[in-house]
Amino acid sequence: GVSYICIVLYFIKGKGQRIFFGGLSFLNQQIMIIGVPKEIKIQEFRVGLTPAGVQGLTAAGHSVYVQTAAGEGSGLSDAQYIAAGAKVLATAAEVYAIADMIVKVKEPLAAEFPLIKKNQILFTYFHFAASRELTEAMIASGAVCIAYETVELADHSLPLLTPMSEVAGRMAIQVGAFYLGKPQGGKGKLLGGVPGVKPANVLVLGGGVVGTQAAKMAAGLGANVTIMDTNLARLRYLDEVMPANVATQFSTSYAIQEALPTVDLVVGAVLLHGAKAPHLIKRDDLKKMTPGTVLVDVAVDQGGCIETCKPTTHENPIYEIDGIVHYCVANMPGAVPQTSTMALTQATLPYVHLLANLGWTEACIQNEALNKGLTIYDGKLFHPGVAATFNL
C-alpha cells in the first residue's frame, strides 16, 4: 500500500521531487535530456562529452543528443556516439530545442543566443568577465548558467579549469618557442640555447597551474626561467619543486619593469577567480623590450594581463605592436583536442552526472563546489567579480 501511494505521488509531484510520506523521505532520480552541440568558435575542435561519457549517462537512464560531427575534431565519430547510446541530430537548433541541459566547451556565441531556452541549464566555460555582451545575453535568456571556470573546491582549487590550464601552460611554451623564430617575427633565438650559447630568458607572470606548467616546460627545454607571484607561500613551494634553472621572485611593478629589457618570452598566467585579470604590462612597457620579444597571454579569455593583448584565433594567432609579437589565442587547448577533450571531460563528467541525476537546484545545494559555478539563473547575475567588472 505504501509503495502504491508513493508511485502515485511520484507522478503528481513530478520527477526529482523529494516526497515525504509517513515520516520517510523518498528521492526520485531526475531523468534528463542532455544536448551536446558542435562548437562553432573558430578552430575549436573540442567537444563537451565523449562516447564514454554518453554511455555512463544513458546507462543511468538519461537521454543524450549529439549534433552531427560534434566530436569529429577530437577524433570521435558519430558512429561511436550512436554505439554508446546517443542520438545524433543534424543541427544545433535541434539539439538546443530538445535538451534540458547543454554540455559544451566554449561560451555560446551570438549565433547561439537565440537557441537558448528559459530555464535550460548551460554547463560550459563562460569567462563572463571578458564579455559584457555574453553576460547580458545570458541574463536575458533566463537560462541557468554554470561556469566550469568558477566551480571551486574547499581548498580553492578549480577542478574544471585545472586540466585546460595544464594544457594551456604547456602550450604557451611550445608556441612561444616557435614564434621566437625569425621567420615568425621573433628574435631568432633557440629557447634552450646550445653549448657555448646562452639560452633564452623566460618570464612567467603567475605561479598557479598555468604558470607552473609553463615554467616546467620552459625549464625542461633549457631556458632561464623567472616565475613571479604575489603569494609567498606559493613561491616557497615552487622554489622547492622547480629545477635549478627556475628562479622565483615576488611580483611587483618594479620587478616586472626591471626584467623586461632582458626577457625573450613572457607568459601571462594571472587568474583572479571569475574576475578580469589586472594589466601587469602596459602599452608603454613594450618600448622597454627588444624587438622580436614574444608575449603569450594565456589570461586573454579573462581580459588579459597584458594591456596590448586582444583575443586572437588559431587561424590568425599573432600580431605585432612596436616590434613585439603578441600571441593571444583565447582557446589555446582547442588546438590539441584529442588531449584536451579527454582531459576536460574526465573532470566535468562527475558534475554532469550530479546535475542530470538531481537537477540543478538540488545538485547545487548538495555540492558546494558546483554551487560556486552557478553564475546566472532566473534572469539574475550572482557573481560579484563579474558584477563589479560591468557595474551590474
Side-chain angles (χ1 to χ4, degrees), residues 144-339:
V144 178
C145 299
I146 304 174
Y148 289 168
E149 70 275 10
T150 52
V151 172
E152 184 179 336
L153 298 174
D155 64 359
H156 303 299
S157 63
L158 304 170
L160 306 188
L161 191 61
T162 294
M164 294 304 91
S165 296
E166 290 168 338
V167 173
R170 294 180 179 215
M171 280 189 68
I173 300 305
Q174 288 185 193
V175 298
F178 175 73
Y179 284 105
L180 269 176
K182 197 68 176 173
Q184 289 77 47
K187 292 181 178 179
K189 265 193 173 180
L190 184 65
L191 202 65
V194 292
V197 180
K198 288 182 178 180
N201 295 319
V202 176
L203 173 62
V204 180
L205 299 173
V209 177
V210 171
T212 299
Q213 295 300 320
K216 280 182 180 179
M217 285 289 284
L221 290 171
N224 286 325
V225 183
T226 300
I227 185 165
M228 293 189 183
D229 201 285
T230 56
N231 184 331
L232 279 173
R234 183 66 180 176
L235 290 176
R236 288 189 181 99
Y237 166 76
L238 292 171
D239 203 60
E240 289 177 4
V241 300
M242 286 292 177
N245 55 333
V246 177
T248 58
Q249 188 172 358
F250 188 79
S251 182
T252 62
S253 179
Y254 183 87
I256 294 169
Q257 304 300 315
E258 192 177 44
L260 293 182
T262 58
V263 77
D264 302 302
L265 169 61
V266 178
V267 176
V270 175
L271 174 68
L272 298 181
H273 292 198
K276 198 174 187 299
H279 289 154
L280 301 184
I281 295 178
K282 304 289 199 321
R283 171 68 189 256
D284 288 346
D285 296 335
L286 301 187
K287 298 182 179 67
K288 297 174 181 172
M289 291 181 266
T290 53
T293 299
V294 177
L295 307 179
V296 179
D297 196 347
V298 183
V300 70
D301 53 8
Q302 285 289 103
C305 62
I306 298 167
E307 187 178 26
T308 48
C309 274
K310 60 186 179 183
T312 61
T313 67
H314 291 293
E315 207 168 38
N316 296 293
I318 64 163
Y319 56 90
E320 280 190 28
I321 298 178
D322 295 340
I324 307 303
V325 180
H326 293 61
Y327 179 99
C328 309
V329 175
N331 62 324
M332 289 175 65
V336 286
Q338 292 201 16
T339 297

Side-chain angles (χ1 to χ4, degrees), residues 5 22 139 175 373:
I5 292 168
I139 291 170
V175 298

